[in-house]
Amino acid sequence: VALGLYFPRKEYLENVYIDEPAGMPLLRIHALKDSHEEATHFHLCQNLIISRARSHENNWFQIREKTGLLYLSKSLDREDFNMLSVGNWMPLSKVMLYVFLSSHPFQEKECDSATRTTVFLSLINATAPACSSLTARQLCFTEMDLSFHIKENKPPGTFHQLQLPSVHHLCQNLSISYKLLAAEGVPFRYNENTTSVRVTQRLDREERERYELIAKCTVREGFREMQVEVPFLVNVLDEDDSPPFLPNGTDTADAVVEFNRKEGTVLATLTVYDADTTPIYPLESSRKKYTGTIITDDPWISETFRVEHIFDEIHFSPNGSQVRGTRHEY
């Protein structure tokens, strides 16, 4: 069964400091559904990948199967850091682990699911900095861009949480609040109680391919107030759901051939538009999608004439927003 569940991000980044306590929440990973009936189960089952050449058994990180919360299951001490870093002189070591998705509880060692996302953890050879020394940007947002991919025609669902679990856990004396600034009528909602962002309806890429919002964060400490804004981008991923269309409604063209035409002379043209897909690379895969045929029983015609197919990316503008598509010319 093809898995319908998918991750709205290809990768996640987070910092981990020495001696942070076991149980410390690090980041929340989200998944979106293909159909309402699906349940979501998250699973970590890979070793930690320290560099391309080395991996190590994961003794420190766990994920909550139902909620996608990644947390420290064991405090990372200096000895652990030295073991996981390339050499103990390094101030920082990057490790990587994979989070897998399934619509049913994971069986032991079931890690061949294609549906996975990558988590990059920067292990820092220092204890966590005091909250008062962090900038508003560090308190509000990680180093990740807030950029998401949501498939068209899929059910609504929560795909991000603005509040950073680690900061919320460590910096309880600070008040940190968020807002999502967006034009009227965009299909996204921010929930102040959970700080989560939800897509509220099925999206249609042929109507709009990209949404540009702004996440605004306010940090209050006593009478001091700091604000920071970052772009919040949603790209709509295409599903091949719209038929190609012909500008004048006809899918055939008559060619009239006069004598003494030179080789390479164009005798007839036919244009087909496809708002649904953009040219795919390698180009042969786009070329195979539609074929042009000369309709004849005469072998001489088949040998003497040929149909050439060229195509390029064009932009359609439904509702004033630019959507990419393809123009095929035969």
Side-chain angles (χ1 to χ4, degrees), residues 290-310:
Y290 306 116
T291 54
T293 309
I294 298 173
I295 302 168
T296 180
D297 297 329
D298 186 334
W300 178 80
I301 289 178
S302 302
E303 287 163 21
T304 313
F305 302 97
R306 74 168 186 267
V307 179
E308 283 205 351
H309 176 193
I310 58 170

Side-chain angles (χ1 to χ4, degrees), residues 34 53 72 127 130 176 182 187 200 223 244 284:
D34 197 51
L72 269 175
T127 53
I176 301 173
T200 57
F223 295 110
E284 277 317 302

Side-chain angles (χ1 to χ4, degrees), residues 73-230:
S73 54
K74 173 181 180 292
S75 183
L76 184 84
D77 61 26
R78 210 165 287 274
E79 206 174 301
D80 297 331
F81 177 87
N82 292 344
M83 183 169 56
L84 292 173
S85 63
V86 183
N88 55 13
W89 50 272
M90 299 279 283
L92 175 149
S93 177
K94 270 215 159 79
V95 302
M96 185 169 97
L97 38 87
Y98 295 120
V99 175
F100 292 81
L101 254 187
S102 176
S103 51
H104 55 79
F106 273 85
Q107 308 306 312
E108 209 43 52
K109 294 201 168 79
E110 182 193 8
C111 287
D112 53 356
S113 147
T115 314
R116 71 179 193 191
T117 191
T118 310
V119 178
F120 292 97
L121 298 171
S122 295
L123 310 183
I124 296 168
N125 193 2
T127 53
C131 296
S132 56
S133 70
L134 297 173
T135 64
R137 177 81 174 75
Q138 291 168 311
L139 290 164
C140 294
F141 303 107
T142 63
E143 291 152 34
M144 295 187 283
D145 291 339
L146 292 183
S147 178
F148 307 91
H149 300 276
I150 297 180
K151 293 181 181 178
E152 67 171 339
N153 306 322
K154 302 301 180 199
T158 298
F159 63 95
H160 184 62
Q161 183 181 11
L162 283 166
Q163 180 188 74
L164 305 180
S166 54
V167 170
H168 181 65
H169 187 79
L170 292 171
C171 307
Q172 291 174 354
N173 297 340
L174 296 178
S175 157
I176 301 173
S177 59
Y178 295 89
K179 272 192 178 146
L180 196 61
L181 310 179
E184 276 296 303
V186 300
F188 305 102
R189 287 287 164 278
Y190 170 64
N191 180 327
E192 273 184 33
N193 299 325
T194 59
T195 77
S196 59
V197 184
R198 177 178 177 79
V199 56
T200 57
Q201 64 189 56
R202 290 171 186 263
L203 303 180
D204 182 354
R205 193 202 70 92
E206 286 72 66
E207 288 294 316
R208 185 155 177 186
E209 192 170 11
R210 185 175 165 87
Y211 293 87
E212 299 183 14
L213 300 83
I214 289 172
K216 179 180 179 179
C217 176
T218 304
V219 180
R220 292 185 188 84
E221 188 183 12
F223 295 110
R224 208 159 67 101
E225 185 176 289
M226 301 177 285
Q227 289 187 336
V228 60
E229 293 182 1
V230 299

